[in-house]
Amino acid sequence: MKNILFEEYARRGFLRDLLHNNITSVKDIWNLQKQLNINTQPNTAVAITVDNYHSITRNKSEIQKQNLRLRVLKSIEEASVKFDAMAINMEEDLYAVLFYMESSEIEPVEKAVSIGKYLQEYVETKTGVSVTVGIGRRYKDILDLHLSYKDALLACHHKFFIGKSQVIHIENIVPFSEGLELFSIEVESQLSVKILSCDKEGAFQILDELLEDIIEHKFVNPIIMKARLIEIITTIVKVGLEAGAEQEKLGILSGRFVQEVIRSDTILDLQSQMREVISGVIEEISQGRRHMNLQVFEEAIEYINDNFDKDITLEDVSGYVHISPYHFSHEFKKFTGMNFIEYLTKTRIKEAKKLLLTTDLSIGEISNQVGYDDPSYFGRVFKSMEGMPPSKFKVSKKIHM
């Protein structure tokens, strides 16, 4: 049993070395094949990826993830027997199948695609898991098998645009462009402005227009696109920090979404993740501003409470907290539910009532102590607030008490 397990591990290591181009001698390959009882001389590689692997395993335990990977591998191995092919697990969500295709095959691409479709349908039927199959070119020299595998991986990347559960041959696709002119600094700046102003819909529109143009052309390498979008996420986060968002929260948010962007299977997944990034940063900016406003207006109210007995104005208070009078007036009403004059008057009358009930000061003296130079004007304001003049309020309340 131990010998069988050792031979299986050795076989997998050999196949991985072939695909990673770690063996550069044909003689070494032949010797290893003989030792491992491998009779097939593969010349074509297939890559099989589990669609949405990270999404479907996000809340799974490590044992559950391992069981899923083993089920997929077993089904690939079972399907490969039909073609005398060899299957190997390469990464968490990636598998390879190696097989030999006759050089006399008239339509090698169609033949390879039919094999790929069989593998895909078998795996999906057996496991209920969606997979995409990428197929590389046929190479004469076994030392070039790693090139076929590289082709297969590149073919798999095209599911980013054409969708999941696909069988894609490298010969049937248009090569990716390595340029990324669409992701200009100007677009990045426009997006930053929308985020800074917390215009979520405006930011979404810029993002959607950008990605729709890419979807239409389908020539941009997804890896380069994701790298550029990660740069944009970094810029967006910087904008959030400058706008007052909490650094720790933005750090956690950006770290999580960078991973999600990297793992996005399709451009639609990527679009969804970028929308969440934008929404998250805007929410953090809004919360930061609300927190900042809370502090600012608490200071403003404290200033009013300390100085209501003086002839203070809106300009005095807004200057104290370093906000423009217009912005202060607008935000103060949102914060307190009343405008500045209403709040100042309420504060003064509240203090006047306290003095009327707890002291023997005259109406004129109380008027002066709460910020009114004219006792008659104070009386009119008091009556409009309490429904009676200060003198009557004092008598009626003391009798009641």
Side-chain angles (χ1 to χ4, degrees), residues 99-259:
F99 62 92
Y100 176 78
M101 184 176 293
E102 296 287 348
S103 57
S104 59
E105 188 71 48
I106 298 175
E107 297 179 334
V109 173
E110 288 76 4
K111 175 68 174 178
V113 168
S114 68
I115 292 173
K117 286 182 177 178
Y118 179 85
L119 291 170
Q120 180 208 34
E121 291 171 2
Y122 190 94
V123 172
E124 291 188 346
T125 301
K126 279 284 186 178
T127 66
V129 174
S130 170
V131 296
T132 291
V133 176
I135 306 170
R137 296 179 181 89
R138 179 183 63 191
Y139 287 83
K140 294 179 181 179
D141 194 333
I142 194 170
L143 288 176
D144 292 331
L145 189 63
H146 70 282
L147 297 177
S148 183
Y149 180 61
K150 185 178 179 181
D151 289 342
L153 290 175
L154 186 58
C156 276
H157 289 159
H158 279 263
K159 77 172 177 180
F160 188 77
F161 292 108
I162 62 180
K164 303 161 191 173
S165 189
Q166 300 285 336
V167 176
I168 310 165
H169 197 290
I170 189 69
E171 294 286 358
N172 293 334
I173 57 177
V174 177
F176 288 131
S177 164
E178 299 302 313
L180 210 55
E181 296 81 4
L182 296 173
F183 288 73
S184 66
I185 298 298
E186 183 182 355
V187 169
E188 188 174 329
S189 299
Q190 291 172 355
L191 192 59
S192 297
V193 169
K194 295 295 183 184
I195 289 171
L196 190 59
S197 60
C198 293
D199 181 2
K200 187 187 295 185
E201 294 306 317
F204 284 174
Q205 184 176 351
I206 292 173
L207 174 70
D208 292 347
E209 288 174 358
L210 180 66
L211 296 182
E212 281 169 11
D213 202 8
I214 295 172
I215 291 172
E216 183 179 345
H217 292 90
K218 300 181 181 177
F219 295 147
V220 180
N221 189 324
I223 296 174
I224 295 178
M225 183 194 301
K226 290 177 181 181
R228 184 70 180 94
L229 284 173
I230 289 170
E231 290 178 5
I232 291 177
I233 289 175
T234 303
T235 299
I236 290 172
V237 168
K238 287 181 180 177
V239 168
L241 290 173
E242 291 169 2
E246 191 175 326
Q247 183 175 355
E248 185 177 352
K249 287 185 178 179
L250 275 186
I252 294 171
L253 183 77
S254 63
R256 177 164 62 89
F257 280 114
V258 163
Q259 291 298 318

Side-chain angles (χ1 to χ4, degrees), residues 287-382:
Q287 286 188 9
R289 285 176 176 169
R290 284 195 292 270
H291 180 67
M292 183 176 66
N293 284 347
L294 179 65
Q295 290 180 319
V296 165
F297 288 105
E298 282 177 348
E299 290 177 13
I301 286 170
E302 185 177 353
Y303 180 84
I304 293 170
N305 290 338
D306 291 342
N307 296 278
F308 66 83
D309 57 331
K310 303 179 182 66
D311 186 22
I312 59 172
T313 64
L314 182 143
E315 286 73 16
D316 293 331
V317 184
S318 64
Y320 177 77
V321 294
H322 310 293
I323 294 179
S324 71
Y326 173 81
H327 181 65
F328 178 82
S329 176
H330 180 72
E331 294 298 322
F332 187 84
K333 185 166 185 177
K334 286 167 59 177
F335 184 75
T336 63
M338 59 189 83
N339 63 36
F340 169 73
I341 293 298
E342 290 171 340
Y343 186 86
L344 178 61
T345 301
K346 182 179 178 181
T347 303
R348 285 172 167 173
I349 298 304
K350 180 181 178 181
E351 179 64 17
K353 287 161 62 177
K354 176 183 173 183
L355 293 173
L356 286 168
L357 297 176
T358 60
T359 72
D360 292 323
L361 294 173
S362 67
I363 300 299
E365 289 172 324
I366 290 174
S367 170
N368 186 259
Q369 284 203 20
V370 298
Y372 293 105
D373 294 332
D374 183 354
S376 298
Y377 179 69
F378 164 67
R380 291 196 298 273
V381 172
F382 191 97

